[in-house]
Amino acid sequence: MNISRLMPNINKHLKRDREYIAPASNSHEGYSVPELVLKYGSIWSKARAIPNLGHYMIGCLYQLKKSYRSLYRQPLEPKQEISEKDLLDLESLARSLGACNIGYTVVEPSYIFSNSAILYRNAMVLDILMEYEKIRSAPSKSAEKEIFRTYYVLNRAVNKIKEFLNSRGYNAQAGPALGGEVNYPLLAQKAGMGHIGKHGMLITPSFGPSIRLAVVYTDISNLPMSESNEHSWIPDFCETCNRCVNKCPAGAIYKDTVIYEDGSHRYIGYKKCSVPFSKDRGCTVCVKECVFFKGEYNRIRDGFMKKKKD
């Protein structure tokens, strides 16, 4: 079964007479969660979760299809600069739809998956919290349901934001949480929202790694782009920690992160990761065991900095 043919994706909607933001020559191939499960895990084991997740699975698929069906529904004469009022209304809407933190950045072509493309170069990145008590129970039905709840909420949110921007006269493309065309952790890191840890997930000061990400792309030129990232100390801390490496039930997290010649990183062996993910309620042990999930960001940072000085 070729699930990429069944899953909604942008490649089914690309038009020959349009220009797109293409991936770089060194971009990596991207897979959706269902594709990884089918390619490396057990689709039959995952199927047993349908009674628990059916509502969110159906909702995710509906919102995913909506993202691509509405791809070319854009204003006839789009505005290139957003007004202060529209930006405030945009952020207010995003938070009302469940977003906790918002970042803005320019998409690097190398972040776009090699088998994909996007319409617009600028990005609004959203994160949403996965509830602490539910993720703490991982692997469990409760944690698995929380994962897919956040996928659904974010997929719905980016579609609503896309509709809002269109209604105010701006171009926009929804980048859903389940699926998508770009490496979201890299994009969120560039937007200054946190930093990628050794487990390959974004670590944020507000919620550690207990988040999901989604994106809205646009060609609005005056978004408040991030110019720096104050979280770049995190990889050094991870080198002294390795808790996620030791706790991963599949041994999928590399103790020595793979660094390619172009400087890009590979943190996880997805073939290994997909086995417990598909067979054990979405696993999520790497989130649950991360020091930043268990501890407070500023306390961890201050303690680490003190040790470095001593």
Side-chain angles (χ1 to χ4, degrees), residues 14 91 175-176 265 288:
L14 296 178
E91 294 186 343
H265 293 60
K288 170 187 174 180

Side-chain angles (χ1 to χ4, degrees), residues 21-28 108-118:
I21 311 300
S25 59
N26 62 335
S27 291
H28 299 284
E108 294 289 340
S110 60
Y111 296 177
I112 304 171
F113 295 128
S114 61
N115 52 340
S116 199
I118 57 175

Side-chain angles (χ1 to χ4, degrees), residues 71-254:
L71 203 60
Y72 301 108
R73 296 175 195 163
Q74 307 292 351
L76 292 176
E77 297 182 3
K79 294 182 281 188
Q80 300 297 307
E81 294 190 357
I82 193 167
S83 68
E84 183 176 351
K85 180 182 185 306
D86 284 350
L87 182 61
L88 289 173
D89 288 347
L90 169 64
E91 294 186 343
S92 177
L93 173 64
R95 292 192 170 94
S96 74
L97 293 168
C100 298
N101 299 291
I102 302 167
Y104 302 93
T105 191
V106 178
V107 181
E108 294 289 340
S110 60
Y111 296 177
I112 304 171
F113 295 128
S114 61
N115 52 340
S116 199
I118 57 175
L119 268 65
Y120 310 111
R121 190 178 296 277
N122 298 331
M124 173 186 186
V125 189
L126 315 173
D127 73 19
I128 185 173
L129 170 67
M130 295 191 293
E131 293 182 19
Y132 180 83
E133 290 300 327
K134 293 178 180 178
I135 298 304
R136 192 173 70 165
S137 70
S140 68
K141 285 185 179 181
S142 179
E144 185 179 38
K145 192 169 186 177
E146 179 63 5
I147 292 167
F148 277 86
R149 179 193 73 84
T150 54
Y151 277 141
Y152 168 70
V153 170
L154 276 172
N155 282 9
R156 180 175 178 271
V158 293
N159 282 332
K160 290 287 186 182
I161 292 168
K162 191 263 187 192
E163 291 169 1
F164 168 84
L165 285 170
N166 287 167
S167 72
R168 296 288 178 97
Y170 307 101
N171 286 326
Q173 174 192 348
L178 185 62
E181 287 68 50
V182 173
N183 185 314
Y184 292 161
L186 279 174
L187 204 57
Q189 178 177 283
K190 189 169 182 285
M193 298 172 69
H195 207 284
I196 296 171
K198 184 166 278 192
H199 41 42
M201 294 176 291
L202 188 78
I203 294 170
T204 67
S206 301
F207 309 119
S210 190
I211 59 161
R212 293 288 168 187
L213 298 164
V215 176
V216 177
Y217 307 102
T218 182
D219 56 0
I220 297 170
S221 62
N222 63 329
L223 293 172
M225 302 292 188
S226 171
E227 300 295 335
S228 61
N229 189 315
E230 62 185 30
H231 315 292
S232 57
W233 62 276
I234 288 176
D236 288 341
F237 173 85
C238 288
E239 288 299 326
T240 70
C241 176
N242 290 305
R243 184 177 179 85
C244 62
V245 176
N246 297 326
K247 291 292 184 177
C248 177
I253 303 172
Y254 300 130

Side-chain angles (χ1 to χ4, degrees), residues 27-63:
S27 291
H28 299 284
E29 192 170 6
Y31 294 102
S32 67
V33 170
E35 287 177 294
L36 286 170
V37 169
L38 186 62
K39 189 175 179 68
Y40 301 121
S42 170
I43 194 68
W44 305 116
S45 296
K46 202 62 186 167
R48 72 180 182 179
I50 289 176
N52 185 45
L53 305 175
H55 169 71
Y56 292 130
M57 283 182 170
I58 293 170
C60 279
L61 185 60
Y62 171 79
Q63 294 295 334

